[in-house]
Amino acid sequence: MKKKRKIFKGLIVCFLIIVPIISYRFWIYNSYQSHCDDNEILEQNLKVLGNTTTVTINKKEYNGDYLKQGNLKIPNQFKDYFLSNESLTEVTYTIPKKSLLSFGSLLSEVDNLKSISNLCVNCEKDIDRIIKENNLKTDVDVLNYIKDYKCTKNTFFTGIRKMKENFIISNYIELHIMSSYSKLVYITGDYNGYMYSSVQNNDNGQLLKYYVVLENNGKNYYINLVTRDNYSEQQMYDLISYVVIE
């Protein structure tokens, strides 16, 4: 009889231990579903990171007028554009139905990675761990880490740490990697940063798109140019060489 009671008590103890563990794992699994391996947007975004080159750009003197927003100054090679919008962080110039130029300051990719904590419960420490363990200090650090990360679809048996990482990274890729561009160029030299670019052809002709991010003293600045004019990558590199960040 005593033996049966011990067995019964043992079963109850096992039940009280196992059920909460399984329940917690179910909660984690349902809360941290990753988009890896089953998301076309994710796949397209990763293709952008897989098509990279590096260019060295050094500063040059510009003998002309500048356009300015905050601490960022770019050469005024866009005299046909008119001011269409201005805020505390950016300014926009346009030629209607033809071109758009905007520039200003923006959050770093490290901050964007941290913002994924808004999508999950109690994952701030996991994001901080990812940043610390992989020494992610700059945008380029983050982009290289994302490119090399082995993102997999979560299953019920995936380890909890890996499950959270897959959730964090897949959401970051989907939200913050620019899939509308086809190429990524890392910029080294007097400024460090990168440039997304693409050439799109449609019924209205050719559309050129450049999105430049420059890092300086812990702050990020961007230049966004979308135009139907013939504006080459080399012209964009020349523009960057004339940039002044005060």
Side-chain angles (χ1 to χ4, degrees):
M1 190 70 177
K2 290 183 179 180
K3 186 176 181 180
K4 288 183 178 180
R5 286 181 180 177
K6 287 183 179 179
I7 293 173
F8 181 71
K9 288 181 180 179
L11 290 174
I12 291 176
V13 171
C14 289
F15 180 82
L16 292 175
I17 294 174
I18 293 173
V19 169
I21 292 174
I22 293 176
S23 299
Y24 176 69
R25 177 164 279 278
F26 264 115
W27 179 80
I28 289 289
Y29 175 65
N30 289 325
S31 300
Y32 291 90
Q33 284 292 313
S34 79
H35 304 161
C36 304
D37 297 336
D38 62 353
N39 189 307
E40 291 183 3
I41 295 176
L42 201 71
E43 183 178 348
Q44 178 59 37
N45 290 9
L46 286 172
K47 285 182 180 179
V48 178
L49 294 182
N51 185 18
T52 61
T53 57
T54 301
V55 63
T56 300
I57 301 176
N58 295 315
K59 295 179 185 178
K60 296 188 293 188
E61 292 292 329
Y62 179 69
N63 298 317
D65 298 330
Y66 276 91
L67 299 172
K68 183 176 181 180
Q69 198 291 319
N71 295 330
L72 177 63
K73 294 166 60 176
I74 69 171
N76 187 7
Q77 300 174 349
F78 308 93
K79 298 186 183 296
D80 294 335
Y81 292 54
F82 71 91
L83 180 65
S84 59
N85 187 53
E86 188 172 11
S87 71
L88 294 175
T89 58
E90 65 181 6
V91 63
T92 302
Y93 294 84
T94 58
I95 299 177
K97 300 181 180 181
K98 185 178 181 182
S99 300
L100 178 147
L101 169 72
S102 62
F103 58 95
S105 57
L106 78 167
L107 292 175
S108 71
E109 292 307 311
V110 175
D111 289 328
N112 286 334
L113 183 58
K114 290 180 178 179
S115 73
I116 302 302
S117 63
N118 297 324
L119 304 178
C120 50
V121 180
N122 298 326
C123 61
E124 293 91 346
K125 290 183 179 179
D126 296 276
I127 295 173
D128 289 341
R129 175 181 55 77
I130 290 171
I131 292 171
K132 184 177 180 179
E133 287 183 354
N134 296 281
N135 197 29
L136 306 181
K137 296 180 179 180
T138 69
D139 282 22
V140 173
D141 291 338
V142 174
L143 294 175
N144 282 329
Y145 169 72
I146 296 298
K147 180 179 67 174
D148 295 334
Y149 181 79
K150 304 301 181 184
C151 192
T152 57
K153 185 177 179 179
N154 287 339
T155 70
F156 181 76
F157 299 102
T158 302
I160 291 176
R161 172 169 165 162
K162 180 64 174 177
M163 200 179 290
K164 288 184 176 182
E165 288 179 353
N166 287 336
F167 175 91
I168 292 164
I169 301 306
S170 64
N171 276 279
Y172 169 84
I173 294 170
E174 187 170 2
L175 293 173
H176 295 294
I177 301 300
M178 296 185 174
S179 61
S180 62
Y181 295 83
S182 58
K183 182 180 178 182
L184 179 63
V185 178
Y186 291 135
I187 297 169
T188 61
D190 290 329
Y191 287 123
N192 290 313
Y194 52 97
M195 181 181 78
Y196 288 102
S197 66
S198 70
V199 179
Q200 299 176 359
N201 295 298
N202 53 38
D203 295 338
N204 296 317
Q206 190 177 73
L207 184 68
L208 298 170
K209 299 172 61 179
Y210 301 102
Y211 190 89
V212 178
V213 175
L214 300 175
E215 300 173 303
N216 187 65
N217 292 329
K219 295 182 179 180
N220 282 23
Y221 302 88
Y222 83 94
I223 304 168
N224 177 42
L225 177 63
V226 180
T227 182
R228 296 195 181 280
D229 287 333
N230 183 20
Y231 200 90
S232 67
E233 280 191 17
Q234 185 56 54
Q235 286 176 286
M236 201 68 198
Y237 297 152
D238 290 337
L239 177 73
I240 295 168
S241 70
Y242 295 133
V243 164
V244 175
I245 301 177
E246 299 175 328

